[in-house]
Amino acid sequence: MQTALKITNLSLLVLFPIAWFAPLMRAGLLPLFGLSEISVISGLQSLWKSDVFLALVVTVFALFAPYLKTIGLALVHFDLLKAKTLPVLSYMGKLAMADIFLIALYVVLAKGVGIGKVETAWGLYLFTACIVASLLISMFTTKSAATD
């Protein structure tokens, strides 16, 4: 079980950056025109131009929180960080889950307005799977540490 947790967690170090650049959704103003692909990175680039505070918050939620949590869990798995840090790492994962909620809210709002067209893309599912996998790894690591 420990080896599976280690391998799965280390794979997230590769999968998270892929998810950041993968298309989360395709959006367009009118259905007649082509749809533009939006990724976490392209969305952040647009936010930095228009709303720096929101861009900073989303950067922390989407990039730093999940990646630092993954690194922290890897350090715990390899006994380079004490298991006492697991509650903090778990909290960081919850911050990342807030980002998924934000993206889902944007999709629902954009579809509800009816001005443009929004389609979810494979990157949204990959990003969500990475966050959920990270939460599960954290949960199983906490249970494993409690039994040790």
Side-chain angles (χ1 to χ4, degrees):
M1 178 73 162
Q2 281 292 80
T3 304
L5 284 175
K6 288 178 184 179
I7 292 169
T8 306
N9 189 58
L10 291 175
S11 70
L12 289 177
L13 293 174
V14 174
L15 291 173
F16 269 123
I18 292 170
W20 296 333
F21 288 93
L24 296 172
M25 64 186 91
R26 293 177 197 88
L29 186 55
L30 296 172
L32 301 173
F33 299 108
L35 300 176
S36 301
E37 289 188 341
I38 300 168
S39 67
V40 172
I41 298 299
S42 69
L44 283 173
Q45 289 172 336
S46 295
L47 273 178
W48 280 106
K49 295 175 188 170
S50 61
D51 190 341
V52 175
F53 178 74
L54 184 58
L56 186 60
V57 170
V58 173
T59 299
V60 168
F61 283 174
L63 303 182
F64 295 134
Y67 212 71
L68 289 175
K69 177 188 175 193
T70 303
I71 292 169
L73 284 172
L75 292 173
V76 169
H77 289 151
F78 290 98
D79 296 322
L80 298 171
L81 189 64
K82 292 184 180 184
K84 291 179 181 180
T85 60
L86 287 173
V88 173
L89 295 174
S90 178
Y91 183 73
M92 291 175 76
K94 290 175 183 153
L95 289 177
M97 198 61 199
D99 194 55
I100 296 293
F101 173 75
L102 239 152
I103 294 168
L105 184 64
Y106 289 147
V107 170
V108 169
L109 287 174
K111 285 187 175 191
V113 172
I115 295 173
K117 183 174 180 171
V118 175
E119 298 173 354
T120 56
W122 66 273
L124 180 60
Y125 301 108
L126 176 61
F127 188 57
T128 303
C130 287
I131 298 295
V132 171
S134 180
L135 290 172
L136 291 172
I137 291 166
S138 178
M139 182 180 72
F140 288 123
T141 301
T142 302
K143 284 184 180 182
S144 175
T147 59
D148 289 344

